[in-house]
Amino acid sequence: MFTMKTKNVTTFFNKACLVALTLISISTFAQEEEKKWFDNFSINGSVDAYFRSNITAKNTLRDFDGNGDDPQFIAPATSFANQSGFALGMANVILGYEGEKVGFVADLVYGQRGADAVFNSTGSAQIVNQLYAYWNVSESVKLTVGNFNTFLGYEVISPTGNFNYSTSYMFSYGPFSHTGLKADFAIDDKWSAMLAVMNPTDYTDSNPFDTYILGAQVGYAADNGSAYLNFRYGNEGEPGAVGSTFQVDLTTGWDVAENFYLGVNTTYLTTGAQEDDGDASGFYGIALYPQVKTSESFTLGFRGEYFAEFEGGVGALTTDNEGDGSVFAATLTGSYEVGALTLKPELRLDAASEDTFFDRDLEDSKSLGSFVLGAIYKF
């Protein structure tokens, strides 16, 4: 009897353990499945603010109506960090879902930098920096539809993606964002290509002109750097009001040594004249971005940019009687990381061919020196 009882208890215990292990396995599997499903979602972003002051000029001109509510800031005619004193950049929240085949990105911005980035949007859409869905058709083909930041140029809208806090002329007068359909092709492990059809540049809410822009890219990426040759072509306005715009842009960057990086951006843009016998206008430029990492937390970088307009250009500079003008902008930036916070002290000197700026006496000047301290928190 004792043996039989022991055997029954043992059998019951084994069955109980088996059931418990089964339940634990099911629970663990469910948790793993739930965790894997949850991990497909992501949320990240940044907030930034800055202090800016001119060195060789006053910071503002007298306001037009004397009420003090519309000051004109004296600053380089580039995007974003061009206000005086302590100023706000933007709050940026990026929501994403990355499935096996499909996904989406909702990139929301709020603040002056964000408003400047989506200047052709209206109403509530002014908080939308990017909003797109994508489909991985195969391992080598990806389709994206919606509003996405431009594929041209070296710099981007988010301050977390740039080394310098202020931006270049080439970035400021190139496209910021597009709305349309693009197809990315992975040719092999290093080579890629992209084709796109899009609304007129920076019209991200809708298409008010019934014209479209074509985009293309050829890319090469290796372990120590990458290079991208970019194109866009099409009518940027109402049919007949302006000629077609063509832009070609090369963006590349390489780790030359363990602690030395060199980036290069060069671009050429031309827009046809309205009249058949008129001259095309536009701009061209080149910028170098050398960076030296001096410690785990500090990197020193430089941006040297030459930017020129012809036949009236795009209004970035004061031009001569023939509509030509140029500027050389030298920007020295330090980047100091304290955890998720990055501080960027920056000295910048813009030297133009014509009287584009002002001095401390509010007289016309060909140069402007300025200082910026940017603070960026990334999460």
Side-chain angles (χ1 to χ4, degrees):
M1 176 181 293
F2 178 79
T3 304
M4 181 61 68
K5 184 176 180 180
T6 302
K7 182 178 180 180
N8 290 339
V9 170
T10 302
T11 301
F12 174 78
F13 179 76
N14 289 339
K15 289 182 178 179
C17 289
L18 181 61
V19 172
L21 289 173
T22 301
L23 292 175
I24 292 173
S25 298
I26 293 174
S27 176
T28 302
F29 178 76
Q31 290 176 1
E32 288 178 352
E33 286 296 306
E34 182 180 357
K35 184 178 180 182
K36 182 179 179 181
W37 171 81
F38 180 81
D39 281 348
N40 287 339
F41 286 91
S42 63
I43 177 170
N44 57 79
S46 66
V47 295
D48 68 291
Y50 64 94
F51 172 82
R52 183 187 178 283
S53 180
N54 290 325
I55 299 172
T56 62
K58 292 183 177 181
N59 290 313
T60 59
L61 295 172
R62 186 181 300 276
D63 59 293
F64 300 117
D65 55 15
N67 293 327
D69 57 356
D70 56 356
Q72 181 181 350
F73 297 109
I74 300 175
T78 52
S79 297
F80 307 146
N82 49 21
Q83 299 188 62
S84 177
F86 293 99
L88 302 181
M90 69 180 187
N92 183 203
V93 178
I94 305 173
L95 307 174
Y97 174 80
E98 185 176 358
E100 182 178 351
K101 282 288 188 179
V102 298
F104 74 85
V105 169
D107 182 350
L108 309 178
V109 294
Y110 187 80
Q112 186 61 49
R113 188 183 185 106
D116 290 347
V118 293
F119 60 92
N120 274 338
S121 295
T122 57
S124 62
Q126 283 191 317
I127 69 170
V128 176
N129 181 37
Q130 298 184 95
L131 187 64
Y132 61 84
Y134 61 86
W135 172 27
N136 295 314
V137 180
S138 67
E139 291 184 357
S140 57
V141 180
K142 176 181 178 180
L143 297 179
T144 301
V145 62
N147 169 20
F148 42 87
N149 288 160
T150 187
F151 53 93
L152 293 100
Y154 184 90
E155 300 178 18
V156 296
I157 293 172
S158 172
T160 64
N162 296 330
F163 185 84
N164 307 100
Y165 189 76
S166 67
T167 57
S168 68
Y169 287 90
M170 287 186 290
F171 166 78
S172 300
Y173 294 92
F176 282 176
S177 298
H178 310 280
T179 292
L181 173 67
K182 67 173 182 174
D184 291 283
F185 305 94
I187 300 173
D188 57 28
D189 292 340
K190 295 183 177 180
W191 288 93
S192 63
M194 186 276 295
L195 295 173
V197 57
M198 306 165 293
N199 288 347
T201 298
D202 294 318
Y203 283 91
T204 53
D205 291 356
S206 61
N207 187 342
F209 301 123
D210 198 28
T211 61
Y212 293 91
I213 304 299
L214 299 178
Q217 180 187 82
V218 177
Y220 176 85
D223 292 338
N224 62 331
S226 60
Y228 296 92
L229 184 61
N230 309 299
F231 303 90
R232 70 177 170 113
Y233 175 80
N235 192 308
E236 296 281 9
E238 296 178 4
V242 294
S244 295
T245 293
F246 170 75
Q247 184 176 8
V248 56
D249 176 276
L250 174 65
T251 302
T252 183
W254 300 90
D255 293 320
V256 180
E258 183 178 358
N259 295 317
F260 180 68
Y261 168 87
L262 178 62
V264 181
N265 182 208
T266 183
T267 197
Y268 175 86
L269 180 146
T270 181
T271 299
Q274 297 182 30
E275 301 82 9
D276 293 337
D277 58 349
D279 295 323
S281 62
F283 64 82
Y284 58 90
I286 184 170
L288 302 179
Y289 298 83
Q291 297 165 20
V292 178
K293 189 175 182 63
T294 61
S295 69
E296 288 298 319
S297 58
F298 186 79
T299 303
L300 186 65
F302 179 78
R303 177 181 60 214
E305 179 189 19
Y306 176 79
F307 178 86
E309 297 184 273
F310 56 90
E311 298 297 333
V314 290
L317 307 169
T318 300
T319 57
D320 60 20
N321 294 333
E322 297 181 354
D324 300 335
S326 63
V327 62
F328 177 76
T331 306
L332 181 66
T333 305
S335 180
Y336 180 68
E337 297 181 0
V338 186
L341 176 67
T342 302
L343 301 176
K344 290 183 178 288
E346 183 171 288
L347 290 171
R348 174 168 173 164
L349 176 64
D350 294 61
S353 61
E354 307 297 324
D355 290 332
T356 299
F357 310 106
F358 298 93
D359 60 19
R360 300 200 66 84
D361 296 323
L362 296 182
E363 298 292 334
D364 291 339
S365 175
K366 293 183 179 180
S367 64
L368 178 67
S370 57
F371 169 78
V372 173
L373 175 61
I376 307 163
Y377 186 89
K378 183 179 179 180
F379 61 88

